[in-house]
Amino acid sequence: MSEFFERYYVARGVQLLKRESVVRLEGKGRVRTAVLSSGRTIPCDLVVAGVGATPVSELFTNGGLAVENGIVVNEYLETNQRGIFAAGDVANYFDIIFHKRRRVEHWDNAVSQGQHWAALVRGDRKPFSHVPYFFSDVFDLSYELWGDSEGATQTFARGDLNSSSFSVWWLKQSRLVSAFAMNRPDEERQAAADWVKARQLVSPEGLADNNRAVKEAALSAGSPLA
Ligand SMILES: Cc1cc2nc3c(=O)[nH]c(=O)nc-3n(C[C@H](O)[C@H](O)[C@H](O)COP(=O)(O)OP(=O)(O)OC[C@H]3O[C@@H](n4cnc5c(N)ncnc54)[C@H](O)[C@@H]3O)c2cc1C
């Protein structure tokens, strides 16, 4: 996947400098030069810094809300103070599909948690059970990713990793934990979302066989909370 994207960027005029970091920006009144760790300098008049983000939660610490990597909420998106909820980028919630805490910085999560909270306060008290998901766009490509590949033991690809149409599937103990799809048929996108949620047992051979529909890779009903 990395090689595919690297080729795609380079073919469109982007130069990737690996094993480099920016140590200093120079200029009077406005940036003119980026100085790299190797000593190399790059003339520039605009810098976009993609350096990650941290949640701004100081506002809430004095009020007694539990704060640790965001505002800590349970599977009902409720903080340690009854009746106070958090959703979106700032919420460190308990993911009942993967049995772990996570904080997700993606649009789909913010929308889904907002909708879930609205249902909760209307009296529909269900835990938030949602496959982590994001989409993104690179040049003319759109891609999607479901789940969490941490701890995955096997990876399989469908389609052609040299083209802009492929999917990648991560398995942990033969169960699907994550999937990536770009320009793939809807049946693969649907299987990705459903199977991660169900911790579906899949056949690696079936998954890797491009001549068979992906649904044929399902082995048996998965266990939702395995
Ligand atoms: C450059 C960029 C690219 C991205 N691309 C993608 C993408 O391709 N796909 C994807 O899924 N996600 C993407 N995201 C992430 C997505 O935008 C966020 O996950 C989403 O907007 C989070 O929504 P939110 O409502 O939780 O928080 P926000 O959208 O950050 O909303 C929080 C709001 O609270 C306000 N606020 C903060 N402090 C206070 C205060 N003290 N008082 C009052 N208001 C306050 C802020 O002004 C803001 O309006 C991207 C984000 C960035 C920055």
Side-chain angles (χ1 to χ4, degrees), residues 50-131:
V51 291
T54 50
V56 179
S57 41
E58 292 76 20
L59 188 65
F60 306 103
T61 42
N62 292 337
L65 289 190
V67 171
E68 189 183 337
N69 180 28
I71 299 173
V72 177
V73 293
N74 62 17
E75 64 271 39
Y76 298 96
L77 308 181
E78 194 163 20
T79 66
N80 60 330
Q81 296 199 24
R82 205 172 149 73
I84 300 183
F85 298 80
D89 278 15
V90 83
N92 172 354
Y93 74 100
F94 188 76
D95 176 344
I96 64 166
I97 297 177
F98 284 88
H99 291 271
K100 67 193 247 194
R101 293 210 149 269
R102 69 169 78 249
R103 197 173 61 73
V104 178
E105 294 179 1
H106 290 302
W107 182 88
D108 166 76
N109 179 70
V111 171
S112 301
Q113 290 193 338
Q115 290 169 339
H116 194 81
W117 173 78
L120 279 169
V121 294
R122 285 200 317 267
D124 189 9
R125 190 169 169 81
K126 285 193 199 122
F128 182 66
S129 173
H130 187 73
V131 173

Side-chain angles (χ1 to χ4, degrees), residues 44-224:
C44 57
D45 55 9
L46 176 72
V47 173
V48 177
V51 291
T54 50
V56 179
S57 41
E58 292 76 20
L59 188 65
F60 306 103
T61 42
N62 292 337
L65 289 190
V67 171
E68 189 183 337
N69 180 28
I71 299 173
V72 177
V73 293
N74 62 17
E75 64 271 39
Y76 298 96
L77 308 181
E78 194 163 20
T79 66
N80 60 330
Q81 296 199 24
R82 205 172 149 73
I84 300 183
F85 298 80
D89 278 15
V90 83
N92 172 354
Y93 74 100
F94 188 76
D95 176 344
I96 64 166
I97 297 177
F98 284 88
H99 291 271
K100 67 193 247 194
R101 293 210 149 269
R102 69 169 78 249
R103 197 173 61 73
V104 178
E105 294 179 1
H106 290 302
W107 182 88
D108 166 76
N109 179 70
V111 171
S112 301
Q113 290 193 338
Q115 290 169 339
H116 194 81
W117 173 78
L120 279 169
V121 294
R122 285 200 317 267
D124 189 9
R125 190 169 169 81
K126 285 193 199 122
F128 182 66
S129 173
H130 187 73
V131 173
Y133 164 88
F134 74 87
F135 63 87
S136 206
D137 300 319
V138 170
F139 301 106
D140 56 342
L141 300 175
S142 280
Y143 60 81
E144 298 169 283
L145 191 135
W146 294 263
D148 179 348
S149 62
E150 189 184 7
T153 48
Q154 290 173 292
T155 311
F156 297 93
R158 292 175 68 83
D160 178 3
L161 282 160
N162 290 309
S163 78
S164 54
S165 168
F166 60 85
S167 54
V168 181
W169 307 72
W170 287 265
L171 308 188
K172 189 175 179 179
Q173 290 155 0
S174 301
R175 295 182 186 276
L176 187 71
V177 288
S178 186
F180 166 98
M182 185 162 66
N183 294 326
R184 298 303 292 167
D186 281 346
E187 63 140 10
E188 286 194 15
R189 299 177 56 251
Q190 195 59 52
D194 293 347
W195 290 1
V196 171
K197 187 159 193 171
R199 310 306 288 273
Q200 177 69 50
L201 274 172
V202 295
S203 143
E205 297 75 29
L207 210 47
D209 187 346
N210 279 305
N211 296 318
R212 285 158 64 189
V214 73
K215 62 180 184 227
E216 292 179 35
L219 278 179
S220 62
S223 157

